[in-house]
Amino acid sequence: MPDQIVITEKTSQAKDVRGAVGSRYGDILPAEGHLFDLLEPEDVVPAWKRWSPILLRPEGLYGTSPATGGNKAAKLKAIREALRTAKRVWLATDCDREGQLIGQEILEHYKYHGEVMRVLFTAQDSQTIRTAFDRAKPNTEYARLYAAAVARRQADQIYNLSLTRTATVILGRGARGVIGVGRVKTPTLAIVCRRELEIRNFVPLAYFEIVATAKVTGGQFQMRHAPQNRIVRREIAQDVVKAVDGFEGALAVRVEDKRQGPPKLHDLPSLQKLCGSRFGWPAGKTLEVAQALYDGQGKKIITYPRAEVRYLPQSLISDVPRIVAGLRVGQSFSAIPVPEPPVIRRGPSGTFYDKGLEGASHHAVIPNVNTIDKLREVWPRLSSDEKKLFDVIARAYLSALMPDFRYRQTSATLDVHGFEFRAAGRQPIDLGWRAAFPEWEPNDEKGDEAQLLPLLHNGETAQLQDPKIEDKETRPPPRYNEGTLIEAMQNAWRFVDDGVLRERLKEAKGIGTPATRAEIIGGLKKQGFLIAQGKNIVPTEIGLSLFGVLKQADPALVDPGVTAQLECLLDDVVVGKQEMVGAIDAVCDVAQRIIDKLMEGAALGGPPLLGAAVGNGAAAYPPTPAMKRFADSLARQNGIKPPPGYKTSISICGAFLKQHAPKKADGEVPGKLEPKPVSPAQMLYAKMIAYGKGLIIPGEAKANSPTMSAWIDSNQGTKRRKSGRKTAFKPAGSIAAQSTAPTKRSRKRKAGAVAVASTPAQPNFVTGTPLRIPYGNKEIALKLGARYGSTGWYAPPGIDLSTFGERGWL
């Protein structure tokens, strides 16, 4: 039997290691990700089998048991047998926190006492792997990295399972299914929900800007009025126009030569953000493509993709000439004018910065120095997406070695009877690193800022002509795409109001890790809490309901800042500022406080129930089949496109029909569209359901037959639990509100139970369409045709609803 073995994280890794070092370090045995799972709470304390609102914290740590699935059992058996005789183990798993845990947990479980060496490599070519074995260090030097991984796993199990069970027991009464709470997952949902509610409640403000043409000896250019506050009254704008027309005065001109350094190299979050905005890729796809470039068969042309920093160690400066030479064989890269010698920038504002790597397991993503000379033969093997991503990584690397972008910034101001007008423009002097990005156009160089100004002299006379008033309107913040959502997760400090804490969290890495953020977003989408809408990520009505319930129960449940603080603790374990048990204790303290608060709310009889209407998160009823058919018919006849959501929301579909359907002489929609009243049979059946489940029939459902049908469909699929019946819930994993039902049918029922109890007011086809007019907008609402009645604001029949929709008032 061999006296030493190598343990890798997966089979493909074992194959690369075997190709690099052969059997020099003993048999090479692959794991398959985590070969051990944490024990379930009931395996530690049998009484915990029944779900209750308590903190599931064992006396020590949760133990581990062999994982199931795939080929895990066979691989674990091979490693276990080899450990019996091995005197030395080489851990060659991934170089991050999770990789450390995957390898070392095997040794901890079997209480291995031999020598353990840690092999770290950030690329999987043969030369990198051989060098990594030559530089291997005793595994004891990575004890803090392992402690941080253990703390993260233990804390997540305690926090997620404890709060999922508590929320399900206390908040989920009357709703069938698990209310999933996750330390990272739930705040991520909150980030998207808060943005969506901000957009829905946004009331645009109309304002005016004045622009005029300035004539000077050297030509003409545009100048814009730049008041301290926006002009919101047209008469004021007209006064400015009167003062401007034909005005002559002396320009105050300022010319500065400026320079701008290249953007930083990429880590995984910055790649995901860029690929999301440029290519429309989901975050998971960016990681998948990057992983293929890193360890794909016959590729291996980039370094470790799960990077968490954007710096390189100074030791990699010596690789620069070889990487540049290897890239220049490509036709597009050869056109990039990298100077000889390349520009080497050190320090926090540069590229090579050792201190910037403290606490990190791996550096920025760059081309692999040991395979770059094979780029010509590797290139044909790459897919089109892999070529796109490699191009992004390669250009970022080359630009970091090029001179600064130098330009001349010219600004001119003109005082017009107390009204200040400004103009600005840039003239490039030396493109420098910008030559690596031919299509580069930063946001701050678009519009007026990008105009080419004529030669201007300080004090020369300018004449303003042709002043114009431009109608402007404030816009809501943009929705997240997967890339910008990951950036928001990484920069969770932005959601914290406390100044001292904000600064502390800036040093941390946000919520989640580069390796898990895409998976978290994907999990929320699978659970039906988030959906993709084009390139954007938006919450479903069920997701909004869950967010509203949890926020009302305890804001800490959905606060990204709280989660970011907990992530800081884990980072502190890596650098020795915090002990493993201390970090777990801190997470448990937060969980216990939330549990106490939820129980306190339950004792007062006031916890919200999942499925109750919460703010703008109430579930919407679907339209009837007849309404959808009629909407499709109108769209074809009029050559228009129905609004998004018309097939799933009766209010959206109804508003579309109300706007475009032919009107009767008295202004009503033809009888074909008029909802039928609730039939006696419908009402009787609804009362039976309500009585059997202890529900109240909403008034909106009683208004007409379609809404009553939707209410019945949503509620008849679940059975009422008998009082006193013992029900044991058992989650399928550590958390994520994982699918507790094995079939599509039961999952569908759960989704229906999540948000069914009440709905927003449906459009009344006789009196008009309900509106949500924010406070303070009475005058503008009346001007647009809105009216106020006994049931609130509404738009009478025949009123154009598009103006209300644009303002988010529908």
Side-chain angles (χ1 to χ4, degrees), residues 324-334 372-376:
V324 172
L327 288 173
R328 290 182 70 85
V329 304
Q331 185 175 355
S332 60
F333 301 137
S334 63
I372 197 63
D373 55 350
K374 299 178 182 178
L375 181 60
R376 190 184 299 277

Side-chain angles (χ1 to χ4, degrees), residues 85-366:
T85 58
K87 297 179 181 179
R88 177 185 296 163
V89 173
W90 302 81
L91 289 184
T93 49
D94 281 355
C95 57
D96 57 3
R97 189 170 69 189
E98 212 62 21
Q100 186 70 31
L101 177 60
I102 287 172
Q104 194 166 337
E105 68 182 349
I106 301 172
L107 307 181
E108 295 287 338
H109 185 86
Y110 291 123
K111 297 180 174 57
Y112 179 76
H113 297 297
E115 182 183 8
V116 182
M117 301 296 291
R118 185 66 167 107
V119 183
L120 298 176
F121 43 85
T122 58
Q124 289 198 193
D125 61 279
S126 296
Q127 182 56 51
T128 299
I129 292 172
R130 284 193 290 268
T131 302
F133 272 90
D134 290 341
R135 297 176 179 174
K137 296 179 180 180
N139 190 55
T140 52
E141 295 191 18
Y142 301 94
R144 291 174 180 171
L145 189 65
Y146 175 67
V150 171
R152 193 277 310 160
R153 198 182 196 194
Q154 294 278 334
D156 276 354
Q157 169 122 327
I158 296 168
Y159 183 100
N160 296 345
L161 291 186
S162 299
L163 293 185
T164 289
R165 292 185 176 198
T166 299
T168 300
V169 171
I170 293 179
L171 305 179
R173 301 197 312 273
R176 184 176 180 179
V178 174
I179 300 179
V181 177
R183 187 178 60 86
V184 177
K185 182 198 71 173
T186 308
T188 301
L189 173 65
I191 291 173
V192 184
C193 288
R194 284 195 175 99
R195 176 61 58 87
E196 182 65 22
L197 293 176
E198 189 178 355
I199 292 171
R200 292 188 182 188
N201 295 324
F202 180 80
V203 179
L205 173 68
Y207 66 98
F208 308 96
E209 289 187 356
I210 298 92
V211 62
T213 300
K215 289 192 174 183
V216 294
T217 304
Q220 61 184 37
F221 58 98
Q222 297 293 309
M223 296 197 79
R224 187 172 294 273
H225 181 35
Q228 287 186 341
N229 299 310
R230 289 192 176 105
I231 298 175
V232 295
R233 295 171 55 190
R234 183 174 289 275
E235 53 267 32
I236 295 178
Q238 291 170 342
D239 289 341
V240 177
V241 168
K242 291 176 183 177
V244 168
D245 198 11
F247 177 84
E248 291 188 9
L251 285 173
V253 179
R254 184 177 181 181
V255 180
E256 296 179 279
D257 285 351
K258 293 188 175 183
R259 60 176 58 230
Q260 181 185 50
K264 291 188 181 298
L265 298 173
H266 287 294
D267 57 7
L268 180 59
S270 69
L271 280 176
Q272 289 169 320
K273 179 184 178 183
L274 186 147
C275 293
S277 61
R278 183 177 297 180
F279 309 135
W281 292 359
K285 178 175 180 178
T286 301
L287 178 56
E288 179 184 341
V289 175
Q291 191 71 31
L293 291 173
Y294 168 65
D295 63 5
Q297 184 64 34
K299 300 169 186 176
K300 302 178 178 62
I301 56 173
I302 66 169
T303 58
Y304 192 70
R306 292 176 172 84
E308 57 199 73
V309 294
R310 304 180 71 173
Y311 293 110
L312 296 177
Q314 294 191 33
S315 60
L316 297 189
I317 293 176
S318 59
D319 293 341
V320 168
R322 187 174 171 185
I323 296 178
V324 172
L327 288 173
R328 290 182 70 85
V329 304
Q331 185 175 355
S332 60
F333 301 137
S334 63
I336 299 175
V338 180
E340 182 58 47
V343 179
I344 302 298
R345 296 177 176 85
R346 296 177 173 85
S349 60
T351 301
F352 300 92
Y353 183 44
D354 288 344
K355 191 173 182 181
L357 293 163
E358 290 182 357
S361 305
H362 27 261
H363 55 67
V365 188
I366 61 172

Side-chain angles (χ1 to χ4, degrees), residues 440-502:
W440 181 281
E441 188 181 6
N443 290 329
D444 63 352
E445 295 177 31
K446 297 177 181 178
D448 290 344
E449 295 293 320
Q451 67 175 319
L452 292 176
L453 299 178
L455 183 62
L456 301 177
H457 302 283
N458 188 41
E460 75 170 297
T461 300
Q463 182 184 51
L464 295 184
Q465 297 179 347
D466 193 25
K468 296 178 181 177
I469 297 177
E470 294 182 347
D471 292 341
K472 300 282 187 176
E473 192 175 66
T474 56
R475 296 182 179 180
R479 288 185 169 88
Y480 292 107
N481 59 43
E482 289 203 22
T484 55
L485 177 54
I486 281 179
E487 182 187 41
M489 295 170 70
Q490 186 183 27
N491 296 296
W493 58 269
R494 294 174 179 168
F495 303 100
V496 177
D497 295 327
D498 182 86
V500 175
L501 184 57
R502 278 170 66 95

Side-chain angles (χ1 to χ4, degrees), residues 690-750:
Y691 177 77
K693 296 182 60 183
L695 299 175
I696 297 175
I697 303 174
E700 296 84 0
K702 298 177 182 179
N704 54 64
S705 180
T707 51
M708 178 60 81
S709 295
W711 187 87
I712 290 173
D713 290 343
S714 298
N715 287 281
Q716 66 181 350
T718 59
K719 297 180 180 178
R720 184 186 182 188
R721 289 201 306 269
K722 294 181 180 179
S723 177
R725 179 182 174 184
K726 294 183 180 180
T727 304
F729 296 87
K730 185 174 182 180
S734 62
I735 190 56
Q738 295 158 353
S739 300
T740 57
T743 66
K744 293 183 178 178
R745 181 182 178 189
S746 58
R747 281 198 295 270
K748 184 177 180 181
R749 285 180 176 177
K750 185 198 302 183

